[in-house]
Amino acid sequence: MRLFLVLLLCLALATCSTPVPQIRILQPATAELAGRIRFELVSPAQAVDGELPYQERYAQVAPLIRRGLEARGYRATRDAQFRVYYWLAVNDQPLEFKVDQAPPRPLGPYQAIHRLRDETGTLRLRLTDTAGNVLWEGLASTGLSPSWESAELLESAVRALVEQVPAAR
């Protein structure tokens, strides 16, 4: 009986946990990043040509990046030594699950189809010097569905990505 309760508790905890975002470092920190502590956040509209997806989330992302970098020893200022570019990309695709079920009356088999949506977001963070040379770049990929959890999922992706930026020296 105890084993059953332990397994049930483990299953409940596993379903309640937030998935870990996948982080990729596209450009490791260069030597030029060392010694630079003053940064400026650049609007995503200046980093991406065309329409920005998921625009309502940028208001959430910018303060998270700023606080994360400040926690790593950097300072947001107008006379910046480097710039921080960030932008989101969202892949939204339908998911269909077909489940064979027996009919409620003997009319023959039928198929139930469950239609769901899967949203996967990627956040790219790029640190450049004032001339535009890349000092560090990383990418976080995370699921954004179900939609009622997307804010928390995006927040965990931002935190995980900013933690990969080397601490200020």
Side-chain angles (χ1 to χ4, degrees):
M1 182 67 176
R2 286 185 187 178
L3 180 61
F4 176 72
L5 290 175
V6 170
L7 290 175
L8 187 61
L9 179 63
C10 290
L11 180 62
L13 290 174
T15 58
C16 294
S17 67
T18 305
V20 177
Q22 297 176 347
I23 305 295
R24 281 192 354 207
I25 305 302
L26 303 174
Q27 167 73 44
T30 63
E32 288 81 25
L33 182 59
R36 298 176 193 241
I37 60 168
R38 297 187 317 268
F39 72 92
E40 170 188 23
L41 279 179
V42 178
S43 166
Q46 295 177 358
V48 177
D49 292 332
E51 190 174 329
L52 294 171
Y54 230 47
Q55 290 184 8
E56 65 276 5
R57 292 293 182 209
Y58 283 107
Q60 172 191 5
V61 171
L64 289 171
I65 292 173
R66 183 178 295 111
R67 280 193 303 259
L69 288 173
E70 287 173 348
R72 304 213 37 87
Y74 297 101
R75 288 190 339 231
T77 180
R78 292 199 185 272
D79 62 334
Q81 295 170 309
F82 67 95
R83 294 186 178 113
V84 179
Y85 294 90
Y86 61 99
W87 63 95
L88 292 168
V90 177
N91 182 16
D92 183 8
Q93 60 187 356
L95 295 175
E96 284 191 2
F97 295 99
K98 298 178 181 179
V99 181
D100 292 328
Q101 295 180 341
R105 295 192 183 111
L107 297 173
Y110 72 96
Q111 205 170 44
I113 299 175
H114 303 282
R115 290 188 173 86
L116 305 170
R117 306 224 39 97
D118 180 42
E119 288 183 315
T120 302
T122 56
L123 171 66
R124 188 175 288 240
L125 189 63
R126 180 181 292 161
L127 281 56
T128 69
D129 62 13
T130 54
N133 300 315
V134 178
L135 303 173
W136 183 91
E137 186 171 5
L139 178 76
S141 179
T142 186
L144 295 175
S145 52
S147 61
W148 64 82
E149 289 184 6
S150 64
E152 293 84 12
L153 295 168
L154 186 57
E155 183 177 339
S156 70
V158 171
R159 283 189 183 142
L161 184 58
V162 172
E163 286 175 0
Q164 298 301 312
V165 175
R169 296 186 219 158

